[in-house]
Amino acid sequence: MNDAQIIDGKAIAADLTDKLAVRTKVFVAKTGNAPCLAVVLVGDDPASAVYVRNKGKTAEKVGFKSIQKILPADTPEDKLIKIINDFNNDDGINGILVQLPLPDHIDEGKIIDLIAPEKDVDGFHPINVGRLGAGDFVNALIPCTPAGSVILAKSALGDNLSGMNAVIIGRSNIVGKPVAQLLLKENCTVTIAHSRTKDLPDVVRSADIVVAAVGRPEMIKGDWIKSGATVIDVGINRVDAPEKGDGKTKLVGDVNFGEASQVAGAITPVPGGVGPMTIALLMENTFTAACRQHGLSIA
Ligand code: NAD
């Protein structure tokens, strides 16, 4: 029996944004402009609306200019394309994010391909995906959730992850695959597990670092975790919480936190783990994009 260190993503994210606010003041003094993040939301999905609002609030908190374009669900694809082209051509906008998912009548891939790679602060454009794959960290913009996950792992393990066994559960383009690239860069031995992986519990038991990005509530059990491992739970799942009252819900991760925290060395909670890091890294990416566009070093 062991009590894992709880990795406080909220505090680590707040520390990052506090430091970024100071760096932003220097940027403004040098350029006369604040970095500007433009976020586009199509439709009225309540969760997406909350994410977009929080992105705007955090941008303003660190001293950025924030533009939010909220469009109705039936917005024609052509109209969205024009808005992105306008943002691409506007030198006053440094970062562009289109909140996903988009309504079915809009081709998500086409929209992502359209965002200027140097303004693609989500890091989803094929050019940025390719740069990450090729290890070009000088020019790439790195997806926010994966970057935040690695920072949290390092907060528990220190900066040197070399030689550690990392098992990532989930192979999505937005989480699993980029986390794998980042951990390879850190010289981890990386395994990507997924829905067809055989003997998943055994694979996970080999991990010094577990990154769970599946989208299945509490799927990863305590007895899958090696004693002392570091567990980064990316999953965000809303489940019924009758103990809180009729019709109430709560958020849980992909890892059974109660069980895993008895075995792990360190573990992220849900909420309050990876989630807050995603927004903080979005701000970092916007700052990075703005510095590159102004030819400034990213101090
Ligand atoms: P996704 O649905 O695109 O990918 C899920 C992956 O899990 C797939 O690769 C699939 O092969 C794998 N998988 C599914 N069932 C499995 C099983 N039984 N065993 C092993 N692997 C299985 O999801 P995603 O976009 O990568 O998101 C994953 C989770 O992370 C979701 O809960 C999502 O809400 C959350 N998320 C959180 C943040 C954040 O900011 N914290 C950001 C992005 C995603």
Side-chain angles (χ1 to χ4, degrees):
M1 190 100 140
N2 143 4
D3 270 329
Q5 172 200 341
I6 310 300
I7 302 173
D8 187 345
K10 208 170 158 188
I12 295 170
D15 185 49
L16 277 179
T17 48
D18 285 351
K19 287 179 176 146
L20 188 57
V22 176
R23 292 154 71 207
T24 300
K25 283 194 180 135
V26 177
F27 180 96
V28 173
K30 280 185 182 160
T31 66
N33 289 303
C36 174
L37 171 64
V39 177
V40 184
L41 172 65
V42 186
D44 45 19
D45 175 61
S48 292
V50 171
Y51 290 145
V52 167
R53 242 194 336 272
N54 286 343
K55 286 166 185 175
K57 268 196 221 157
T58 311
E60 282 170 13
K61 215 172 111 201
V62 294
F64 294 177
K65 198 172 159 217
S66 162
I67 294 174
Q68 304 225 321
K69 198 92 180 168
I70 315 288
L71 304 165
D74 61 358
T75 301
E77 189 179 83
D78 282 357
K79 184 166 179 197
L80 181 58
I81 289 174
K82 181 173 181 325
I83 289 168
I84 300 208
N85 280 328
D86 289 348
F87 284 172
N88 281 342
N89 294 327
D90 184 340
D91 287 343
I93 293 177
N94 306 108
I96 303 170
L97 180 148
V98 177
Q99 185 68 41
L100 303 177
L102 288 167
D104 287 345
H105 67 280
I106 298 179
D107 180 343
E108 221 163 78
K110 187 167 158 188
I111 298 299
I112 291 171
D113 286 2
L114 203 70
I115 299 172
E118 65 276 13
K119 296 188 179 185
D120 165 42
V121 283
D122 252 343
F124 294 162
H125 189 285
I127 295 258
N128 283 315
V129 174
R131 284 175 174 153
L132 173 60
D136 175 7
F137 291 87
V138 174
N139 296 301
L141 285 165
I142 310 291
C144 305
T145 302
S149 299
V150 174
I151 292 174
L152 293 184
K154 286 185 169 181
S155 78
L157 291 165
D159 279 345
N160 184 5
L161 307 182
S162 184
M164 292 187 187
N165 282 337
V167 172
I168 297 144
I169 315 160
R171 57 175 159 185
S172 72
N173 289 334
I174 64 167
V175 188
K177 285 182 198 160
V179 169
Q181 302 284 6
L182 292 175
L183 289 172
L184 265 182
K185 178 187 175 249
E186 299 297 333
N187 300 314
C188 291
T189 302
V190 176
T191 302
I192 305 181
H194 48 77
S195 52
R196 305 290 174 88
T197 296
K198 291 193 178 128
D199 302 324
L200 183 61
D202 266 353
V203 173
V204 176
R205 273 182 207 113
S206 71
D208 304 307
I209 300 169
V210 178
V211 180
V214 183
R216 289 178 185 258
E218 302 183 321
M219 184 189 98
I220 290 133
K221 308 299 176 203
D223 67 359
W224 300 19
I225 305 294
K226 178 161 93 177
S227 174
T230 296
V231 179
I232 308 297
D233 191 352
V234 181
I236 301 178
N237 309 287
R238 189 162 285 285
V239 296
D240 291 340
E243 73 277 10
K244 289 168 74 182
D246 249 11
K248 296 282 183 196
T249 61
K250 63 177 177 183
L251 294 179
V252 297
D254 290 343
V255 178
N256 184 318
F257 182 87
E259 291 176 11
S261 59
Q262 301 296 311
V263 189
I267 186 167
T268 60
V270 178
V274 176
M277 293 299 283
T278 298
I279 292 194
L281 270 294
L282 174 66
M283 301 306 138
E284 285 285 340
N285 271 354
T286 305
F287 187 77
T288 297
C291 288
R292 287 178 185 164
Q293 287 157 37
H294 282 84
L296 295 175
S297 71
I298 301 149

